[in-house]
Amino acid sequence: MSPHATETHAADTHAAGAPVVHEDPRHPLYLGNWKRSSKEDVQHFVHDDFDEPHRKRQKAILAKHPEVRDLYGNEPLTAVIGLAVTVVQFAVAYAVGCVWKDMHWAAIVAIAYAVGGTISALFGVIIHEAGHNLVFKRPLLNRLTGMMVNTPMVVPISQSFRRYHLEHHQFQGVEGMDPDLPLDSEIKLIHNNPLLKTLWVFCYSVMYVARGAAMKKKPQRWELINLWAMLMVDVLIVKFWSVRSLAYLAVSVFFGYGMHPGAAHFIQEHYIFRDGQETYSYYGSGNIFYLNIGLHNEHHDFPQIPWTRIWKLRRIATEFYDPLFAHTSWVYVIYKFIASPMLGPQSRLVRMYKAHLSGRKEYRVPLDDDAASAKKKPLLSASGRKNVKSKMH
C-alpha cells in the first residue's frame, strides 16, 4: 500500500481478500507529491510509488468531455507529407553525391544539418504517428508508411521504434521495462558535466539504440524485414549514386536525432523540470513543421488522436492542461539541460512494476469530482502547480 493512502478516502468495503480501493489523491491533474533532487551530486532517478498518470487523466477528461472521443481516428495526410519529404531528402542526397561533386565537405555538413537534419527529425515524427496506427486504419499500411520514411535514414528505425515506443507508453517510468529510460551507465558517465552532456545530446541517436539493445529482446519479424529493406536501399544508393550520398544521409540522421531543435522533444518530454510532473508539453512554433509532436502530455493522455486534432483536445480540456508546466522553446530546453547542474540523464522519474500495478488497482479515478476541485486540495505548492513557461531563447 502506498504511504499516500492516508490522504485518500476509502471506498465501500470490498470482498474479503480484495484490496481496498481509494480515490487517487492526484486527481484531477495527476501531479505527484515527489520532489526533484536538490543536490547536484545525485546519480540516481527520482522514485514514485504511484502508477503513471496518463491513463487516469484520460478517464477524468472523458468523464467531463466525452466529445473528445470524436477526435479519435487517422490522418492519411501524414503519409502524403512523408512521401514528399522522402523525395526531397533523396533529391538532396543525389545532388550531394552526383551533382555537387566538388562541394567542400564543410558545405556538405552544413547542408546535412540545416536540410537533412531538419527533415530527418520530421521522419522521426512521422514514424511515431505510424507507430500508433494514426495514419491509416490498417496496421499494415502504417508499418509501410514508417518504412517508407525510413528509407533515407540509412539504419533500420521504424519497426523497432514502433515496438519499443508502445512499450514506453504501457510501462512509462517502470524500471527495467520502459525502454525510454537512460541506462545506469549513461548516468554514471555523463551525470551533470556540461561538456559530457553536450556530447550526450549530440550522440542521442546512439544512446537510443543502445537502450533498445540493452533490453536484450529477440528481433521480431517486422524488425528483420526493416533491416533487410534498409540494407538493400543502402546498397542501391552506393551502387547507383555514391558513397557521398549515403554519408550525407547518415550525417543527416545523426544531426536530426541529436543537437538539433527538432530533436529537443526527446529531452522536453520526460526529463524533470518541475516537482511532481513527469511529462511535459511544448507549445512553441516548432509544432507547425513537426506535426504537433510537442503536445506530449496530450499525446500520452490520448494516443488515439492524430496530430491534426491534438490541439482540439488541448482547447477542449483546457482546465486539465493549463495548470501544467509547459515549454515554449526547444532551443532553451537544450540549453537548460546542458547548463543546469540539476539536470542530466538521471533527471527522470521511475517506479517499480509492483507500484505501477498497485497504483492502478488500489487508486481509482473519482469521476464524480469536478476538475476544479484541484484548487481545493492541491498536492503541490502554488509555485509547483502554476503554469510557468520556459524562457524564449
Side-chain angles (χ1 to χ4, degrees):
M1 181 68 70
S2 166
H4 297 311
T6 55
E7 302 175 8
T8 64
H9 303 285
D12 294 337
T13 304
H14 284 59
V20 176
V21 179
H22 304 269
E23 292 182 355
D24 197 312
R26 301 172 298 172
H27 182 77
L29 300 180
Y30 292 90
L31 296 174
N33 271 319
W34 51 268
K35 303 287 185 181
R36 295 171 295 165
S37 174
S38 59
K39 298 179 180 179
E40 298 180 6
D41 59 347
V42 170
Q43 296 192 31
H44 56 75
F45 297 122
V46 179
H47 284 261
D48 188 26
D49 52 8
F50 275 100
D51 53 322
E52 59 85 21
H54 299 289
R55 179 178 292 191
K56 289 179 178 176
R57 190 158 62 216
Q58 181 192 83
K59 290 182 179 179
I61 291 175
L62 288 175
K64 188 167 184 179
H65 301 288
E67 68 273 21
V68 166
R69 289 190 177 91
D70 295 336
L71 302 178
Y72 295 2
N74 308 96
E75 183 50 82
L77 175 62
T78 310
V80 177
I81 295 172
L83 176 60
V85 291
T86 297
V87 171
V88 170
Q89 182 71 327
F90 272 132
V92 177
Y94 173 79
V96 168
C98 303
V99 180
W100 303 328
K101 295 182 179 180
D102 297 327
M103 179 177 288
H104 193 275
W105 67 267
I108 295 177
V109 171
I111 294 173
Y113 184 89
V115 179
T118 301
I119 292 177
S120 292
L122 180 57
F123 287 151
V125 175
I126 295 171
I127 288 172
H128 172 263
E129 290 286 305
H132 283 285
N133 291 331
L134 295 175
V135 184
F136 299 105
K137 291 182 179 180
R138 293 181 59 189
L140 174 61
L141 295 180
N142 286 279
R143 286 187 180 275
L144 294 177
T145 299
M147 290 181 64
M148 174 187 69
V149 298
N150 194 169
T151 53
M153 300 180 73
V154 180
V155 294
I157 293 175
S158 66
Q159 300 309 302
S160 293
F161 177 85
R162 177 189 178 101
R163 176 186 185 180
Y164 290 116
H165 183 70
L166 294 180
E167 291 181 1
H168 162 63
H169 273 260
Q170 185 177 2
F171 303 112
Q172 179 178 315
V174 178
E175 286 192 282
M177 302 182 76
D178 181 356
D180 190 61
L181 291 172
L183 302 173
D184 289 340
S185 57
E186 294 178 61
I187 296 174
K188 294 178 181 178
L189 178 63
I190 308 301
H191 193 214
N192 60 5
N193 184 296
L195 292 178
L196 292 178
K197 283 193 288 184
T198 300
L199 179 62
W200 182 83
V201 173
F202 263 111
C203 300
Y204 194 83
S205 58
V206 179
M207 296 296 100
Y208 214 79
V209 172
R211 293 173 195 171
M215 303 296 287
K216 297 181 180 179
K217 293 186 177 181
K218 184 179 179 180
Q220 296 178 342
R221 179 168 63 95
W222 274 101
E223 291 179 280
L224 295 175
I225 293 173
N226 194 184
L227 171 62
W228 284 109
M230 289 307 304
L231 287 174
M232 287 189 292
V233 170
D234 293 347
V235 169
L236 290 174
I237 290 173
V238 173
K239 180 177 178 61
F240 292 102
W241 292 354
S242 72
V243 174
R244 280 165 57 97
S245 296
L246 189 67
Y248 161 80
L249 294 174
V251 174
S252 295
V253 173
F254 180 77
F255 285 143
Y257 275 68
M259 186 65 76
H260 193 286
H265 65 88
F266 292 120
I267 299 173
Q268 159 234 309
E269 293 165 351
H270 295 294
Y271 286 86
I272 301 171
F273 286 80
R274 288 294 184 275
D275 294 336
Q277 185 174 332
E278 62 180 292
T279 305
Y280 300 82
S281 287
Y282 157 79
Y283 298 139
S285 60
N287 283 313
I288 298 173
F289 185 80
Y290 288 111
L291 312 187
N292 295 326
I293 191 66
L295 278 71
H296 205 63
N297 260 308
E298 294 82 353
H299 167 66
H300 263 272
D301 290 348
F302 291 92
Q304 311 94 326
I305 299 177
W307 66 274
T308 49
R309 299 171 214 160
I310 199 72
W311 267 111
K312 294 181 181 179
L313 165 65
R314 176 69 178 79
R315 289 190 286 268
I316 290 172
T318 182
E319 72 273 30
F320 288 90
Y321 296 116
D322 276 353
L324 304 182
F325 173 81
H327 298 284
T328 58
S329 171
W330 273 332
V331 173
Y332 185 74
V333 167
I334 296 175
Y335 165 76
K336 184 69 173 179
F337 181 83
I338 292 174
S340 173
M342 305 307 298
L343 291 170
Q346 71 279 359
S347 302
R348 293 288 295 266
L349 183 76
V350 298
R351 50 182 57 85
M352 300 299 293
Y353 183 58
K354 183 178 180 180
H356 181 65
L357 291 180
S358 64
R360 289 185 172 177
K361 292 179 180 178
E362 299 176 18
Y363 296 91
R364 70 177 181 87
V365 178
L367 299 179
D368 54 332
D369 286 357
D370 188 271
S373 65
K375 299 178 181 179
K376 299 178 182 180
K377 298 187 297 180
L379 288 176
L380 300 176
S381 64
S383 61
R385 294 278 296 279
K386 63 193 297 189
N387 187 21
V388 181
K389 304 294 185 179
S390 60
K391 300 177 182 178
M392 295 294 292
H393 188 269

